[in-house]
Amino acid sequence: MWGGLPIALKVILGEMDSITVTWYRFSISAVIALFWYGRHSVAAIRRLLTPPLWPLTLLAAGGLLTNYIFYLIGLDHTTAEAAQILIQLAPLMLLIGSVWLFKEPFSRPRWLGVMAFTVGLVLFFHHRLRTLASIDESYLLGLLALLLGAFAWAVYGLAQKKLLRHVKSNDLLLLIYIAGTLCFLPASSPAQIQNLDGPELMMLAFVALNTIVAYGCFGMAMTHWDASRVSAVITITPLLTLFFVFLSNMLYPGFIQTEPMDWLNWLGAALVVGGSTLAALGNRLK
């Protein structure tokens, strides 16, 4: 679901601003979740909004809402591949935060993974780095937004990990969906949906369902696995995005803007994924 997300969002952002897209994603997810299991979540939501859990709830909700906005801003100013490669900093930050908060050891294989990840980022963006002096300011803004979005997502993941000791992931997500719907409504323009044609409406439906399905799966994974294992699995996302972008442009040439890709870019992408996986699973490889 996350692998195909940036492609659908790229299409929609041509006709709808980032805040309105985010409002639709949260509002549709909130409606589905309320009808699906909302009546069973009332007690849990009360616990989330009262001491001692409310500070963690605020961090989790604020982190995910911030991630959504900054990811969309970053995606709007860069490309689908660049966004998915750079957002891999999020699970890496989640890993580092888990080491700090949950006292997980940081072994030598993990350090090697971090080094491979760093080299991979440099190789993937080597075209941009060569022309750094003349790089588009809009692209730089997009990269900065993606960095902030990755940090915000790691905050959400760490807060959620703590909260899952007290409530189910679906209960927390329902509260976040409702919070996002209310927070983004004043600045959104729902009437922009009239600008979308049939395929674009299908893309909007996909990104809305993506929210509840992907984060529902992520929350369930965090319930049954430790954070490092979840981080390792998430690292396959950019490879799926690269494949979906390639497939889309092969079927419909020029369908979506792409990064200039040569063998160094592909090597960089592989190192980002491999380094992230090694960093996440390093303690199991000693």
Side-chain angles (χ1 to χ4, degrees), residues 130-152:
R130 287 176 182 175
T131 58
L132 190 59
S134 59
I135 195 170
D136 186 2
E137 290 184 4
S138 175
Y139 194 90
L140 284 175
L141 173 63
L143 294 181
L144 177 60
L146 289 167
L147 287 172
L148 293 173
F151 177 78

Side-chain angles (χ1 to χ4, degrees), residues 8-68:
L9 287 173
K10 265 292 190 182
V11 174
I12 300 170
L13 286 172
E15 303 294 338
M16 189 177 283
D17 66 78
S18 58
I19 293 181
T20 301
V21 173
T22 304
W23 179 81
Y24 269 110
R25 295 182 70 188
F26 278 113
S27 60
I28 293 173
S29 295
V31 170
I32 294 174
L34 281 169
F35 279 99
W36 185 6
Y37 60 84
R39 63 187 181 278
H40 303 300
S41 300
V42 176
I45 289 176
R46 285 176 180 167
R47 287 200 300 275
L48 288 167
L49 294 175
T50 54
L53 297 184
W54 74 263
L56 285 173
T57 302
L58 185 62
L59 276 177
L64 191 57
L65 268 58
T66 302
N67 165 263
Y68 265 54

Side-chain angles (χ1 to χ4, degrees), residues 28-250:
I28 293 173
S29 295
V31 170
I32 294 174
L34 281 169
F35 279 99
W36 185 6
Y37 60 84
R39 63 187 181 278
H40 303 300
S41 300
V42 176
I45 289 176
R46 285 176 180 167
R47 287 200 300 275
L48 288 167
L49 294 175
T50 54
L53 297 184
W54 74 263
L56 285 173
T57 302
L58 185 62
L59 276 177
L64 191 57
L65 268 58
T66 302
N67 165 263
Y68 265 54
I69 287 297
F70 279 112
Y71 179 78
L72 273 181
I73 294 173
L75 181 62
D76 199 24
H77 289 81
T78 59
T79 63
E81 305 104 312
Q84 287 298 71
I85 288 294
L86 197 57
I87 206 66
Q88 284 307 295
L89 282 168
L92 190 63
M93 290 177 183
L94 176 62
L95 166 65
I96 294 172
S98 298
V99 171
W100 175 50
L101 288 177
F102 306 135
K103 309 304 180 184
E104 296 182 11
F106 209 79
S107 60
R108 183 176 296 177
R110 281 187 159 175
W111 281 115
L112 290 174
V114 172
M115 292 173 60
F117 179 93
T118 304
V119 173
L121 278 183
V122 173
L123 290 178
F124 185 83
F125 290 104
H126 76 93
H127 287 297
R128 307 287 181 176
L129 294 174
R130 287 176 182 175
T131 58
L132 190 59
S134 59
I135 195 170
D136 186 2
E137 290 184 4
S138 175
Y139 194 90
L140 284 175
L141 173 63
L143 294 181
L144 177 60
L146 289 167
L147 287 172
L148 293 173
F151 177 78
W153 189 89
V155 170
Y156 153 75
L158 291 169
Q160 177 181 252
K161 186 66 177 176
K162 288 272 191 178
L163 288 169
L164 290 181
R165 299 173 181 174
H166 308 279
V167 298
K168 295 179 180 179
S169 60
N170 281 347
D171 300 325
L172 174 62
L173 287 170
L174 173 57
L175 180 58
I176 294 177
Y177 299 151
I178 295 172
T181 302
L182 297 176
C183 288
F184 294 125
L185 178 58
S188 65
S189 301
Q192 289 181 4
I193 196 172
Q194 299 174 9
N195 300 332
L196 305 184
D197 58 20
E200 289 166 346
L201 285 171
M202 292 177 62
M203 294 288 187
L204 181 62
F206 171 74
V207 301
L209 291 174
N210 192 292
T211 297
I212 193 167
V213 174
Y215 275 95
C217 293
F218 173 73
M220 185 171 292
M222 291 286 276
T223 300
H224 296 285
W225 275 5
D226 55 65
S228 61
R229 278 186 172 183
V230 177
S231 299
V233 174
I234 292 173
T235 60
I236 68 172
T237 301
L239 292 183
L240 290 171
T241 300
L242 289 169
F243 172 73
F244 291 147
V245 168
F246 171 78
L247 186 62
S248 299
N249 282 326
M250 185 176 68

